[in-house]
Amino acid sequence: MGVISLYLHLGFLYMFRKIRQALITRFIFKWFSSVLPPMSITERQAIAAGDTWQEANLFRGKPQWQKFLANPKPTLTPVELNFLNTEVEELCAMLNEWQITHQNYDVPTSVWNYLKTAGFFGLHVPKKYGGLEFSALASSTIVQKIATKSLSVAVTVMVPNSLGPAELILHYGTEQQKDLYLHKLAKGVEMPCFALTAPDAGSDATSITDEGVICYGEFNGQKNVLGMRLNWNKRYITLAPVATLIGLAVKLRDPDKILGVDVDLGITVILVPRDVPGIEIGKRHFPLNQAFLNGPIRGKDVFLPLDYIVGEREMIGSGWKMLVECLAAGRGISLPALSTAMGKHAFRCCGAYAKLRQQFNLSIGKFEGVASALANIGGLTYMLEATRVLTLSAIDQNFSPSVVTAISKYHMTEMARHIINDAMDIHGGRGIMLGPRNYLGRLYEGMPISITVEGANILTRCLMIFGQGAIRCHPYIRQEIEAASMQDKAQGLDMFDRLIWRHMWYSISNGVRLVWHSLTCAVFCEAVEDKSFWQIYYRRLSFMSIALASVSDVAMLILGGNLKRKENLSARLGDVLSYLYIASAVLKYDYDHGEPKEDRPFVRWCLDFCLHQIHHGFKYFFLNFPNQFIAKPLQWLVLPPWRNYPKPKDDLSIELSRIMMEPSELRERLTAYCVVSTDPQDAVGRIEAAWLKMQLAEPLLNKIDLAVKQGIIERTSNAYKKIKLALSNKIVTETEAEFLFAFEHMRLDAMQVDEFTQQELTGK
Ligand SMILES: Cc1cc2nc3c(=O)[nH]c(=O)nc-3n(C[C@H](O)[C@H](O)[C@H](O)COP(=O)(O)OP(=O)(O)OC[C@H]3O[C@@H](n4cnc5c(N)ncnc54)[C@H](O)[C@@H]3O)c2cc1C
């Protein structure tokens, strides 16, 4: 009886599904297939690259805060810490950025040698191949620390450790290639570069016309060797001028069908030794006054056997997949490290400078306008550090989160751009006049480089974050696309039928949740179980996450493939996803440090800032959505008129600026692993030393200020005269006056800029 009932049940289900397919799903399937944007194989590979992580929960309207907070707190190992405190310190002590970028236009030979012998070119290479086998957190912190002393040297270290021959061989090379190259790359015996970009192929790197043709040729005196004849013209290649091993991306072709039936074999990465005939290399580009080596590289009829392909014959045509997979992790390490370095450096220097520099008899940091700029630097730096360590923790847990790293690359470089602009404004002319005393100019000049490389920013925001995010993070879309693209349409329909109904349920439940939480002002939204000071923010973010899930589904339903072309719309939804992630990073950082009271103004500033950006993203999405009949009610639910998310308030900004101008545990923790000198001969040390002295001088200066207010000392006197008058009026003692003279001397010295003769400038 039971068996019959089971069969009847299954039969009924089968019939029900068949009827459902015939009467409903078939038509949805047809419509879905017609609105799918055309997707090339390379686009499919890019979308498939990497994993998803916390961003998928945020995208689906279920942040799962408790699980998220349980992720391990990222920490450096004792060996990594030791390297930072010894080798990196030693390296930084050797660096003179002005000499490197203005006088030599190159990193000194002694520095090159030290980088090689100390293992800086093998940070990720396993120990068995002679590398240091450091975590992503360690390599990011190393690059970050170097960048606070010299951007050019940081880039020189960063490039061989990110997307380049070592990473490619490590992940896709044969055992023989690993044995042959990794040791030499880790020790700097081989200097790598990675050559993809060509004059006619930048952002759209898959359109490269550089070519390899399968043929027989002569190699090392041996005739009739099966290999490839390569022709290429690459530009903008970092380290090319000194490279001895080029990771070259070309399109491989087999017109004579020597390897099989296919003529176009696809993008393939080849290891090209510098000394094979036909290579033109050595000239330099000059990227915005930076001294790291970058230049063009060309090859004419270069012949190499097939075993020079990374991964040999098995990896022919897999070049693009290899690149996007490596980039999925790599772009979460290098440029975020440089961006955080800029933030930390600006935090320290601007906090100190805004206190030291006086106008209208006051430290400029006390003026509200300057305080706002200072607070931007402080708040954004807090977000940078939080996002950096969170993203690295994902990479170190062996995730390769492609959406999260795209978010990090885009938003962290943009935050650094804001920071460096504010830092320049705060410094006025002191930031503009280049020379050994200037500690901002080269960072400012280098900013557009971070914006452009590893996925230019406009493209990353408009195409990658939401475009890839929606497909990767959505629970059903990717599989539905796969079903619609199947050759066997009946099988595709069957798979689609199973997905689409679950998809509908997902959309309906998100819609219901959105209405409910909107009407109840998000008070029942997910927060954390433990009592957190930030419960209300957890709830607000949960609400925005539910809103994103619903709005994304509606946008995909209404616009279909057009959403990809409506770049501004998808960019705004990408902003919402990004700021949900960045706010999560801030909460996690605060949680990992025990929610210290001292951090509260910064955390609040960051969360207000993120919610404002989310609000802004939604607002302009609704405003520009083509179908206003749908946009208006959605807007009313997501952003009801009575709920506003303003920018951080002025009072909060002033509080941040005040904290930044004083010594604190927060300042030291947040700017850890910056090169900090107190040597008055050093560019940064000059400011730091004067600022430290000012902490001691302040009580005495306050006494003098009081005397000025009481009319005992003339207001218009300069600082030296005021000290003299204070001494003669017995307001300060002789020793105190001497201390104040010494401080004033240091303060004025810290305000000075460099001067050059024409001869010194031109070197003639
Ligand atoms: C200092 C430096 C070092 C570099 N090092 C290397 C290296 O070692 N190896 C290497 O192979 N390459 C390297 N590059 C190249 C770098 O990756 C490219 O510059 C980058 O891919 C952008 O290409 P492009 O400069 O030709 O700009 P373009 O592709 O011409 O882009 C111009 C603008 O258009 C935008 N854009 C393009 N398409 C779209 C779109 N569909 N939607 C929205 N916006 C779009 C871009 O975001 C950008 O803002 C380096 C570049 C620089 C500047």
Side-chain angles (χ1 to χ4, degrees), residues 713-725:
I713 294 174
E714 226 179 292
R715 185 175 293 276
T716 50
S717 314
N718 69 22
Y720 285 114
K721 201 167 168 200
K722 278 181 186 160
I723 300 168
K724 275 186 200 160
L725 288 171

Side-chain angles (χ1 to χ4, degrees), residues 535-549:
Q535 288 287 30
I536 190 161
Y537 282 96
Y538 278 108
R539 292 210 166 89
R540 285 176 187 165
L541 293 169
S542 296
F543 176 76
M544 288 305 190
S545 161
I546 296 167
L548 177 64

Side-chain angles (χ1 to χ4, degrees), residues 112-133:
W112 274 111
N113 290 339
Y114 187 71
L115 290 174
K116 290 176 186 177
T117 52
F120 279 88
F121 293 130
L123 297 178
H124 296 157
V125 175
K127 283 185 190 141
K128 68 171 177 173
Y129 298 114
L132 295 172
E133 204 173 338

Side-chain angles (χ1 to χ4, degrees), residues 368-390:
E368 283 201 2
V370 177
S372 297
L374 211 49
N376 285 344
I377 294 172
L380 293 178
T381 302
Y382 200 93
M383 284 196 252
L384 281 173
E385 178 63 355
T387 312
R388 181 182 81 95
V389 291
L390 179 66

Side-chain angles (χ1 to χ4, degrees), residues 194 196-197 202-203 236-238 294 449 452-453 456 459 463 567:
F194 178 69
L196 171 67
T197 306
S203 300
Y236 304 163
I237 310 305
T238 304
N294 183 290
I449 298 174
T452 302
V453 298
L459 173 128
L463 280 189
E567 286 192 345

